[in-house]
Amino acid sequence: MINIGKKNELTVLRKTDLGYMLSDGKEEILLHYREALKELEVNEKVEAYVYTDKENRKTGTLVRPHLLLDEHGFVEVVQVLESAGVFINNNSPKDILISKDNLPYDQEQWPVVGDKIYCSLKLKKDTLMAKPLNRFDILGLHSKTAYAEKEQVVAYVIRIAMKGIGLITKDLVYVFVPNTQYRKTYRLGEEVLVTITKMLDGEAYGTLNAHKEILMDEDRNQILEYLKLHQGTMPLTAKSSSEDVEQIFQMSRKAFKRAYGALYKEQLIDFDEQNTYLKKL
């Protein structure tokens, strides 16, 4: 039996107008000339990767795909189709779908073309499908890599949840970043530079926040920009609640108070019980 998604040892039976007919002794499939890589001889044995074409017919290629059935690895997104999901490049004539059922409900969290996802291939009714690995799958890989505290590592978003986001590094280490440790929204497959905060049982924890000094400058400028765009008035003070701060700025109350204090020390703002005012210099 010729297996879809795997490499099969097959024999060249004959040439046709379109390509070579290959067989395992029971079944025949077509190998297009462009997928042969070289001229083949009748009775020559080849190792062909088998996939299904648009008509769902088994078809072969001698080009090595990025992933075989039940293998996993990084693959690149090449197309986004809102009604179906996203397609990844498997280095084969037919791109492979990640169903929207295996993607976040919020399409703004879907990967875009060029993003990389760590996937495995599965077979569903003779059709190859790709599926992102989850946290437990990645931990099950038992990566031996250990990172030092404060080490910066390139990683890719593999999971988005209420309490934080999960990343996978090129060393196949799972990194959890709590939602207090990033300031923007992320999408599946997005490349990030994460700073490791600790390692525990093969799993890492990290932050996507910049150093406090850099963040404070960004926060300070964000508050100033808001004041300038709102006639120098802001309905927040250092005593405002976290909910009120987050409603206007994407920052924690602690970060807001730090930047707010810096502005006050620089004598750029003043305040009363309810509002903050930009001083006229």
Side-chain angles (χ1 to χ4, degrees):
M1 180 179 178
I2 297 178
N3 297 301
I4 299 168
K6 296 184 178 182
K7 290 192 291 185
N8 296 255
E9 187 175 285
L10 305 173
T11 302
V12 179
L13 289 184
R14 62 185 179 277
K15 294 181 180 181
T16 70
D17 291 340
L18 297 176
Y20 301 96
M21 296 305 299
L22 307 180
S23 175
D24 64 345
K26 299 178 181 178
E27 191 176 359
E28 295 183 13
I29 66 168
L30 175 67
L31 171 71
H32 289 278
Y33 286 122
R34 63 178 178 273
E35 298 300 324
L37 302 181
K38 66 172 187 174
E39 187 171 347
L40 302 178
E41 301 294 332
V42 173
N43 294 324
E44 182 175 350
K45 293 189 180 300
V46 296
E47 199 171 54
Y49 166 71
V50 177
Y51 62 98
T52 52
D53 63 14
K54 293 180 180 178
E55 282 73 39
N56 209 36
R57 298 171 299 195
K58 291 180 182 179
T59 311
T61 176
L62 300 190
V63 178
R64 176 62 162 88
H66 295 314
L67 301 178
L68 296 171
L69 185 65
D70 296 326
E71 286 186 352
H72 41 74
F74 288 103
V75 285
E76 185 173 324
V77 174
V78 292
Q79 185 183 5
V80 178
L81 193 60
E82 292 183 1
S83 61
V86 302
F87 289 87
I88 57 98
N89 171 25
N90 196 37
N91 197 37
S92 59
K94 186 179 179 183
D95 297 327
I96 297 177
L97 177 70
I98 300 176
S99 169
K100 64 180 182 180
D101 295 335
N102 293 313
L103 295 172
Y105 178 78
D106 183 355
Q107 289 193 352
E108 290 187 359
Q109 296 176 352
W110 284 20
V112 300
V113 173
D115 284 343
K116 291 184 179 179
I117 304 181
Y118 199 76
C119 289
S120 63
L121 290 191
K122 303 295 181 184
L123 195 60
K124 186 176 181 180
K125 295 181 179 179
D126 288 342
T127 300
L128 286 169
M129 306 283 286
K131 183 179 180 181
L133 268 68
N134 61 38
R135 169 178 173 252
F136 299 104
D137 292 331
I138 296 167
L139 291 175
L141 300 176
H142 302 295
S143 173
K144 301 300 182 182
T145 301
Y147 300 121
E149 185 177 332
K150 297 184 180 179
E151 184 175 353
Q152 291 190 312
V153 184
V154 173
Y156 300 89
V157 178
I158 196 75
R159 179 172 179 264
I160 302 171
M162 289 291 292
K163 293 185 178 180
I165 60 175
L167 313 174
I168 181 173
T169 72
K170 293 180 179 179
D171 300 308
L172 307 185
V173 175
Y174 184 83
V175 184
F176 178 69
V177 181
N179 55 20
T180 57
Q181 296 302 314
Y182 53 91
R183 304 287 291 277
K184 54 164 275 188
T185 57
Y186 289 90
R187 64 182 184 272
L188 198 66
E190 183 172 353
E191 182 180 304
V192 299
L193 185 64
V194 61
T195 302
I196 304 300
T197 56
K198 67 177 178 179
M199 291 283 299
L200 184 64
D201 297 329
E203 184 174 4
Y205 295 81
T207 178
L208 295 172
N209 286 341
H211 295 303
K212 287 184 179 179
E213 294 80 8
I214 297 173
L215 278 178
M216 188 174 74
D217 284 342
E218 292 177 355
D219 297 340
R220 172 187 174 280
N221 293 335
Q222 190 177 350
I223 294 170
L224 279 178
E225 188 65 23
Y226 180 92
L227 286 164
K228 290 174 183 177
L229 292 174
H230 294 82
Q231 290 76 50
T233 302
M234 177 175 66
L236 296 174
T237 70
K239 296 181 179 179
S240 295
S241 68
S242 298
E243 292 75 17
D244 289 340
V245 171
E246 291 176 2
Q247 189 172 359
I248 294 178
F249 301 108
Q250 295 294 318
M251 67 178 76
S252 66
R253 183 171 182 270
K254 184 177 180 180
F256 174 77
K257 288 182 67 177
R258 188 165 54 234
Y260 190 93
L263 290 171
Y264 185 73
K265 286 180 181 179
E266 295 173 45
Q267 299 184 348
L268 295 176
I269 59 173
D270 206 345
F271 60 90
D272 57 24
E273 287 296 319
Q274 294 183 324
N275 299 302
T276 297
Y277 306 98
L278 183 64
K279 278 190 173 182
K280 294 182 179 179
L281 303 178

